[in-house]
Amino acid sequence: MYKIGELAAACKVKPDTLRFYEKNGLLHPANRSDKGYRIYSDDDAQQLRFILRAKAMGFSLSDIRELLNIEASRSDWACADVKGMVEAKVQELQTKIDEMTRLRDSLQELADACCGGPESAIHCSILDTLETK
Amino acid sequence: MYKIGELAAACKVKPDTLRFYEKNGLLHPANRSDKGYRIYSDDDAQQLRFILRAKAMGFSLSDIRELLNIEASRSDWACADVKGMVEAKVQELQTKIDEMTRLRDSLQELADACCGGPESAIHCSILDTLETK
DNA sequence: TTTGACCTTTGACCTAACTCCAAGGTTTAT
DNA sequence: ATAAACCTTGGAGTTAGGTCAAAGGTCAAA
Ligand SMILES: [Zn+2]
Ligand SMILES: [Zn+2]
Ligand SMILES: [Zn+2]
Ligand SMILES: [Zn+2]
């Protein structure tokens, strides 16, 4: 059984983060002390670690809420459901990667065309390109 | 000379966007009509196109403010300054791309380990992995 | 007993880049 | 002349994931 500061320290997050997760339906402490302090169980601690691991894998908090629902009653779901979520996330990331790669290449091309020298930018091809596409 | 709605339509943005750019020091209309309407000149229109092109290349509005400063007095800057900005942006994008690629690969690995079948997720390796790293 | 480290709640603030709304004045078309 | 379509300002709301501050209650050690 942990008080909020203890669990937060153990998982290297701030107490406010745990309150935020609670407000957003991700982690409710098992109970409260008679004075109203949040008391977290070992199961809660494990669930927090689940949340943090999923976050580190790139899932949003709303993805994680879904994953926790599935985890809470695994037998109601199929592997296909879970794998589908993960693959959708892969696709989402891939789309962003592609877009950023495209931007990076355009910028690199822009940079390559500029002499990069110490003289005045009056003739700078980068500015020229931005000025008149 | 354009009223705000005309310039906005010509560049496919909303009037509110132009007001936002003005408030943020990116584009001030050349003058105002006697009744207070914003009046944009052709130079303003060109500057807006500069802004939109730079945005499409991935520059933030604060980057663009800097680019506009340079553009406004090109002779005070060197090509090296401009090229440096662009290369910093390339590096910034590259860092994000690398991070997202790492995430994508981890997720793909997670997905590959799951059978993805229609049976119950009780044995799902994805959930197992998230539960106990 | 008193200090200091905890805990509680409510609610504001942060970044980025808009987007929308309300209440009112102006211009344009019919 | 009047209605639609425009313009003005100020200020609030959006998304995501927290982070902080204020005002007060609680607990442990010296
Ligand atoms: Zn040069
Ligand atoms: Zn140059
Ligand atoms: Zn399976
Ligand atoms: Zn599975």
Side-chain angles (χ1 to χ4, degrees):
Chain A
M1 301 305 202
Y2 318 90
K3 282 188 290 181
I4 196 170
E6 291 164 357
L7 179 55
C11 291
K12 291 171 183 155
V13 296
K14 303 192 176 178
D16 273 339
T17 301
L18 299 190
R19 295 193 189 98
F20 176 78
Y21 286 168
E22 182 176 352
K23 199 175 56 174
N24 288 278
L26 289 161
L27 181 66
H28 297 280
N31 39 27
R32 294 279 183 132
S33 77
D34 56 347
K35 295 300 181 182
Y37 285 24
R38 289 169 178 82
I39 304 293
Y40 294 91
S41 67
D42 284 332
D43 278 358
D44 294 335
Q46 172 149 20
Q47 180 155 333
L48 176 55
R49 282 187 213 100
F50 182 103
I51 291 167
L52 297 176
R53 259 178 236 122
K55 210 165 74 71
M57 302 288 293
F59 289 103
S60 70
L61 297 191
S62 118
D63 294 330
I64 295 173
R65 240 190 324 268
E66 241 183 290
L67 286 170
L68 286 170
N69 278 340
I70 295 176
E71 170 73 8
S73 59
R74 284 195 187 208
S75 56
D76 293 349
W77 304 82
C79 260
D81 298 325
V82 185
K83 188 167 182 167
M85 270 193 69
V86 175
E87 284 181 335
K89 205 76 199 171
V90 168
Q91 195 47 67
E92 188 184 308
L93 278 169
Q94 188 60 55
T95 301
K96 280 187 197 154
I97 289 170
D98 289 346
E99 185 182 353
M100 299 184 78
T101 301
R102 197 175 44 67
L103 284 179
R104 184 205 57 192
D105 290 346
S106 306
L107 284 173
Q108 189 63 65
E109 207 177 316
L110 210 56
D112 288 346
C114 168
C115 75
E119 72 279 21
S120 136
I122 288 180
H123 73 282
C124 183
S125 66
I126 294 173
L127 296 175
D128 287 349
T129 301
L130 288 172
E131 218 181 326
T132 62
K133 174 66 158 293
Chain B
M1 300 305 203
Y2 316 90
K3 281 189 289 180
I4 195 168
E6 291 165 356
L7 180 54
C11 291
K12 289 170 186 158
V13 297
K14 303 191 178 179
D16 272 340
T17 302
L18 298 190
R19 294 191 192 99
F20 175 79
Y21 286 167
E22 181 176 351
K23 200 175 56 174
N24 287 278
L26 288 161
L27 182 65
H28 297 280
N31 39 27
R32 295 278 183 133
S33 77
D34 56 345
K35 294 301 183 183
Y37 284 24
R38 290 169 178 82
I39 304 295
Y40 295 91
S41 67
D42 285 330
D43 278 357
D44 293 335
Q46 170 148 22
Q47 179 154 334
L48 176 56
R49 282 187 212 102
F50 181 103
I51 291 167
L52 297 177
R53 259 176 236 125
K55 209 164 77 70
M57 301 288 293
F59 289 102
S60 70
L61 297 192
S62 119
D63 293 331
I64 295 173
R65 238 189 326 266
E66 241 184 291
L67 286 170
L68 287 171
N69 279 340
I70 295 177
E71 170 72 9
S73 58
R74 284 196 186 207
S75 57
D76 294 350
W77 304 82
C79 261
D81 297 325
V82 185
K83 188 167 182 168
M85 270 194 68
V86 176
E87 285 182 335
K89 205 75 200 168
V90 168
Q91 194 48 66
E92 188 184 307
L93 279 170
Q94 188 59 56
T95 300
K96 281 187 197 154
I97 289 169
D98 290 346
E99 186 181 353
M100 300 185 77
T101 301
R102 197 175 44 67
L103 285 178
R104 183 205 58 193
D105 291 346
S106 307
L107 285 173
Q108 189 62 64
E109 208 178 316
L110 210 56
D112 288 346
C114 168
C115 75
E119 74 279 25
S120 133
I122 288 180
H123 73 282
C124 182
S125 65
I126 294 172
L127 296 174
D128 287 349
T129 300
L130 288 172
E131 218 183 325
T132 63
K133 174 67 157 296

